[in-house]
Amino acid sequence: MDSQTSQSSQSPQSPHTFQVDLRGLVDLLSHHLYSSPKVYLRELLQNAVDAITARRNEQPDAPATVRLYAESGGVLRVEDSGVGLTESDVHSLLATIGRSSKRGEGLESARSDFLGQFGIGLLACFVVAERIRVVSRSARTPDAPPVEWTATDDGSYTVRTLPHEARPEPGTTVHLVARAGAGDWLTEDRVRSLARDFGSLLPYDVRVGDEAITDLPAPWDRAHPSPATRRVALARHCHELFGFTPLDSIDLDVPLAGIRGVAYVLPSSVSPAQRAGHRVHLKGMLLTERGEQLLPDWAFFVRCVLDTDSLRPTASRESLYEDETLAAVREALGERIRGWLTGLAAGDPERLAAFLSVHYLGVKSLARHDSEMLRTMLPWLPFETTDGRLSLEEFAQRHPVVHFTRTVEEYRQVAPIASAQGVGVVNGGYTYDSELVEALPSVRPGTVVAELDADTVTAHLDAVDPAEELALAGFLGAARAKLDPLGCDVTLRAFHPLSVPALHLDDRAARHEQARADAEEQADDLWAGILGSLRGSAPRARLVLNHLNPLIRRISSLNDPELIGTATESLYGQALLMAQRPLRPADSALLNRAFIGLLEWATHTDSGEGGRR
């Protein structure tokens, strides 16, 4: 028994063929592979164009026409003058899912002439059709009779030969009968709109009824009397295609990659995180309107439309396959846009200024990775500085040391004081700015760049005479005691402008320590212990009082400790507001308390006095 079982298990078994549920496959195509039922028309156009290409490879003077007719009753008829099919072709190609006439041994070079290479073909038409009928006659075998292939969405099909008069000339006619609820996709207006969208750049004569669909040459290849008229024509094309009038247009010509097209510069700023949608045509057929991978991330300020014969589509033919070719094309197109910017900097500063006023962020993103671009754009890129809005080049010419802050809050703290002391500061808190300031010495040798912190600012402020500071020891002690719970020290200095009574200074280390202390206060015993162990020797924030300010002089002469405390809290809160710092709950409570305290003091009267002063 065991021997028989062993022999039986080792005996060869006949192979089985996969069974395909066509309705399930159509559902998969319509809901997962394709983004919309509209791709059915692209598949029809694609098959027709590939058939014409195949015939012209053998008969260069063969006719090249595609005709689409929307008929009543939800029927669409598509005729082409392509290579056609024999009966054996029909069985091996139309009825076998996944097999393509363009995928054969030794045909890799020939495949580059065709659009479709995945063998899905007419199957996609079942997304909108319940029945497909194909009548075809082969140009390669002229004596072969026409053949008819009829398939329904339940997975069945029939094949029969027809008399020669049924199809006198080589080519193929496809009849689609709409499935329930899909009739709108086969109406003449919808077919015309889809055909124009997908096929306006196809190299053959495509018509819906008598109306021509193809519109060649492409807008970027058309001759114009002058550069100005060409620019106007391209601006009109951009408005029709994308809905905006561009600031400028950039030719995208990469012969080695078989790319021709144009990039349109957006007239308004967009977020760098916003993914751009580019229109990509493959050998004239629209492949995608969302070619996000086409350009480098920094080039988010343009929208492209181009035609290529080298990029590889995905199976759905609605996006680009990420491979070495696409990476090389992306780099080449980035070079074209970079070259356009360099050209503007060299020869058209007015147009460059108009562009940078809108898209300086994109150029800064490029410049931080490209030292040559940074060197080129140095006289043009705007930065917020204590001298106004200047380029780094102009700012570096004015100041021997280029100080910068890493956050907007730090800049707002120090800008008025630093400017009055003659210290130039660049606001590096905006996107990419601090990175570019730090890269400045690499493209401008000899430039000294230094981050400005609280200690540096304090060092530029004049010290108060020791005798005067000693005389104010009581006042300073009361002020320090009041702000100590807030993690803030009090310092006395003399500085300009005189109108600033107090300056709040801190740095990232001080803010981190304050955040740790706040978290420790709110944590339970376990976390409080952990956070307490993280306590460092980081410098605390400081309130710098201006000894030259008349208000500070009057407050420092007070003898009432309570009133000194209230005044100190008011100065602290006002300094925070001047720096436009976000207020913590403790800071808001302090401001309210100080405001109420000052009102009570100002309105309080004693029986023996007309009021406290």
Side-chain angles (χ1 to χ4, degrees):
M1 181 68 176
D2 292 340
S3 174
Q4 290 178 353
T5 303
S6 176
Q7 291 176 2
S8 174
S9 64
Q10 294 176 6
S11 61
Q13 299 180 4
S14 59
H16 299 280
T17 302
F18 282 105
Q19 301 299 311
V20 177
D21 180 350
L22 186 59
R23 283 180 174 166
L25 189 57
V26 168
D27 181 72
L28 179 67
L29 290 174
S30 59
H31 291 98
H32 300 283
L33 183 62
Y34 295 127
S35 62
S36 166
K38 70 181 182 180
V39 298
Y40 89 90
L41 193 69
R42 186 194 61 202
E43 295 293 340
L44 290 172
L45 287 175
Q46 190 164 274
N47 286 341
V49 168
D50 284 344
I52 293 172
T53 300
R55 184 176 180 185
R56 283 204 156 187
N57 285 343
E58 301 173 9
Q59 305 172 21
D61 59 346
T65 61
V66 181
R67 299 289 183 267
L68 298 93
Y69 302 97
E71 302 174 350
S72 60
V75 176
L76 176 64
R77 185 172 90 253
V78 183
E79 300 177 352
D80 70 68
S81 59
V83 70
L85 302 171
T86 63
E87 184 176 358
S88 63
D89 292 334
V90 167
H91 283 289
S92 64
L93 299 176
L94 295 188
T96 305
I97 297 169
R99 178 177 296 170
S100 171
S101 61
K102 281 76 73 177
R103 187 187 294 117
E105 293 183 6
L107 295 179
E108 288 302 312
S109 60
R111 284 175 61 193
S112 64
D113 294 333
F114 299 97
L115 298 173
Q117 300 172 8
F118 294 94
I120 298 175
L122 283 174
L123 186 63
C125 294
F126 280 119
V127 173
V128 297
E130 67 176 10
R131 184 162 60 90
I132 302 174
R133 176 171 169 261
V134 178
V135 177
S136 187
R137 182 168 184 173
S138 175
R140 289 174 177 154
T141 313
D143 295 336
V147 60
E148 178 191 70
W149 176 84
T150 304
T152 57
D153 60 2
D154 63 2
S156 63
Y157 72 93
T158 60
V159 179
R160 65 180 181 130
T161 58
L162 302 176
H164 285 278
E165 56 269 18
R167 177 87 199 190
E169 299 296 329
T172 300
T173 301
V174 179
H175 301 260
L176 299 187
V177 178
R179 64 192 308 165
D184 287 347
W185 290 104
L186 273 62
T187 61
E188 184 172 5
D189 288 344
R190 180 67 69 89
V191 169
R192 183 186 300 109
S193 174
L194 292 177
R196 185 175 289 116
D197 199 34
F198 283 120
S200 62
L201 300 183
L202 289 173
Y204 304 134
D205 180 13
V206 181
R207 295 175 182 266
V208 175
D210 296 326
E211 185 173 340
I213 295 301
T214 49
D215 187 18
L216 296 176
W220 48 84
D221 286 329
R222 294 171 189 168
H224 295 278
S226 67
T229 55
R230 182 176 187 270
R231 199 155 44 237
V232 170
L234 288 177
R236 187 182 307 114
H237 173 248
C238 175
H239 193 273
E240 294 171 355
L241 203 61
F242 294 115
F244 66 85
T245 300
L247 283 178
D248 206 348
S249 56
I250 308 166
D251 284 318
L252 302 178
D253 185 6
V254 187
L256 292 178
I259 285 179
R260 288 283 295 155
V262 63
Y264 293 115
V265 182
L266 290 165
S268 56
S269 60
V270 293
S271 166
Q274 181 177 331
R275 302 297 292 177
H278 308 295
R279 289 177 63 94
V280 181
H281 295 257
L282 180 61
K283 302 180 184 68
M285 181 74 74
L286 179 66
L287 180 69
T288 179
E289 297 175 281
R290 301 184 303 276
E292 297 177 351
Q293 327 99 297
L294 192 63
L295 293 181
D297 290 340
W298 57 260
F300 57 84
F301 49 82
V302 298
R303 296 290 181 269
C304 296
V305 54
L306 56 81
D307 188 27
T308 176
D309 59 16
S310 66
L311 296 179
R312 180 181 171 190
T314 59
S316 67
R317 290 191 286 277
E318 294 188 293
S319 60
L320 299 170
Y321 187 82
E322 188 69 51
D323 57 10
E324 292 180 358
T325 302
L326 179 57
V329 165
R330 182 161 49 234
E331 184 177 349
L333 295 180
E335 284 294 330
R336 294 294 183 274
I337 297 173
R338 184 185 285 106
W340 170 77
L341 283 170
T342 304
L344 288 187
D348 200 339
E350 290 186 3
R351 284 170 68 197
L352 178 63
F355 166 76
L356 288 177
S357 67
V358 178
H359 295 299
Y360 61 88
L361 202 58
V363 180
K364 286 182 176 181
S365 174
L366 170 60
R368 68 192 176 119
H369 296 302
D370 187 328
S371 58
E372 189 58 38
M373 181 55 63
L374 177 58
R375 185 178 292 107
T376 301
M377 292 290 114
L378 210 54
W380 308 100
L381 288 174
F383 288 79
E384 183 179 356
T385 78
T386 49
D387 291 356
R389 199 161 179 80
L390 300 175
S391 70
L392 286 181
E393 174 69 26
E394 187 175 356
F395 187 82
Q397 290 173 357
R398 297 184 182 186
H399 299 277
V401 178
V402 178
H403 289 99
F404 73 98
T405 63
R406 291 193 182 275
T407 68
V408 175
E409 289 79 8
E410 290 172 354
Y411 177 79
R412 288 170 177 165
Q413 287 178 17
V414 304
I417 309 304
S419 179
Q421 308 305 312
V423 178
V425 184
V426 178
N427 184 355
Y430 296 116
T431 307
Y432 311 133
D433 283 8
S434 61
E435 297 173 69
L436 292 175
V437 175
E438 289 181 296
L440 190 56
S442 66
V443 297
R444 196 177 188 276
T447 303
V448 179
V449 172
E451 183 176 354
L452 189 67
D453 56 22
D455 289 334
T456 305
V457 176
T458 304
H460 279 83
L461 305 181
D462 295 333
V464 178
D465 182 86
E468 292 188 43
E469 187 168 1
L470 182 60
L472 298 176
F475 161 71
L476 293 174
R480 287 167 181 151
K482 196 67 177 178
L483 296 187
D484 183 68
L486 296 172
C488 183
D489 292 333
V490 177
T491 304
L492 189 66
R493 290 288 188 273
F495 56 87
H496 293 272
L498 300 179
S499 58
V500 176
L503 175 66
H504 181 271
L505 293 177
D506 65 2
D507 53 25
R508 278 166 293 158
R511 286 196 295 274
H512 291 165
E513 173 60 20
Q514 184 61 54
R516 186 209 58 77
D518 291 343
E520 182 180 356
E521 285 184 7
Q522 301 174 11
D524 56 28
D525 292 341
L526 174 61
W527 281 109
I530 294 174
L531 292 169
S533 68
L534 298 177
R535 182 184 298 110
S537 58
R540 307 210 308 168
R542 70 199 69 174
L543 183 69
V544 183
L545 302 179
N546 187 0
H547 188 53
L548 301 181
N549 180 268
L551 176 61
I552 295 298
R553 286 182 174 273
R554 288 197 296 271
I555 293 175
S556 63
S557 65
L558 295 172
N559 295 319
D560 185 345
E562 183 179 346
L563 183 55
I564 290 175
T566 300
T568 302
E569 287 181 330
S570 300
L571 291 169
Y572 173 83
Q574 188 262 354
L576 287 180
L577 293 175
M578 289 297 293
Q580 301 183 43
R581 288 286 305 279
L583 299 181
R584 299 171 298 165
D587 297 329
S588 298
L590 174 145
L591 278 171
N592 289 331
R593 184 171 62 248
F595 178 70
I596 297 298
L598 289 176
L599 284 179
E600 289 180 349
W601 177 79
T603 58
H604 181 74
T605 57
D606 291 331
S607 57
E609 298 180 277
R612 296 175 61 180
R613 294 290 184 268

